[in-house]
Amino acid sequence: MSGFMDNIRCGECECVDWGEKRNTIASIAAGVLFFSGWWIIIDAAVIHQDAKVFNHSYHACGVIATIAFLMINAVSNGQVRGDSYSEGCLGQTGARIWLFIGFMLAFGSLIASMWILFGGFVVPQKEVVYPGIAVFFQNAFIFFGGLVFKFGRTEDLWQ
């Protein structure tokens, strides 16, 4: 069952070499996701300025997701594997701990945004649900942007 799509061929455009542009495409896609997340929450904050409708402490989730985005992408895959990083405070172990803490913050902010959406807007059946949806989508877009930026690029093109 794991190889049931191996024989399916999609039409490939031979005029574009995607291998050389992989880092560029992944960086642009991650940037668009990151920008869209912040754009959505800024839109919600501008539309709903009253603290009764949209508590502005909910911005903390997006700030933590942004810090997690930076932490996850500050460590290269070579440093985590131990290929290119052997010195420093903790070496490979320190890079893995840093990456683990970054992923914990990213997942934590995503889960917290779901809690804000459902606990703060859906379950109490508020009339305006858009701020809760905006908080969730902000964190989801930042999270997926971080994943695209981390795993969508290849380090082979850096040399």
Side-chain angles (χ1 to χ4, degrees), residues 98-113:
W98 184 264
L99 186 66
F100 179 71
I101 291 172
F103 274 117
M104 280 186 8
L105 288 173
F107 281 114
S109 66
L110 189 62
I111 292 168
S113 70

Side-chain angles (χ1 to χ4, degrees), residues 13-66:
C13 180
E14 296 175 6
C15 60
V16 178
D17 185 18
W18 294 107
E20 302 251 340
K21 300 191 187 289
R22 178 178 173 172
N23 288 354
T24 304
I25 293 168
S27 298
I28 291 171
V32 166
L33 286 169
F34 186 82
F35 166 78
S36 299
W38 275 104
W39 186 266
I40 290 170
I41 200 67
I42 290 170
D43 179 58
V46 167
I47 291 173
H48 305 287
Q49 295 180 0
D50 187 19
K52 293 178 185 174
V53 177
F54 178 47
N55 190 352
H56 295 294
S57 64
Y58 293 159
H59 290 295
C61 283
V63 172
I64 291 171
T66 301

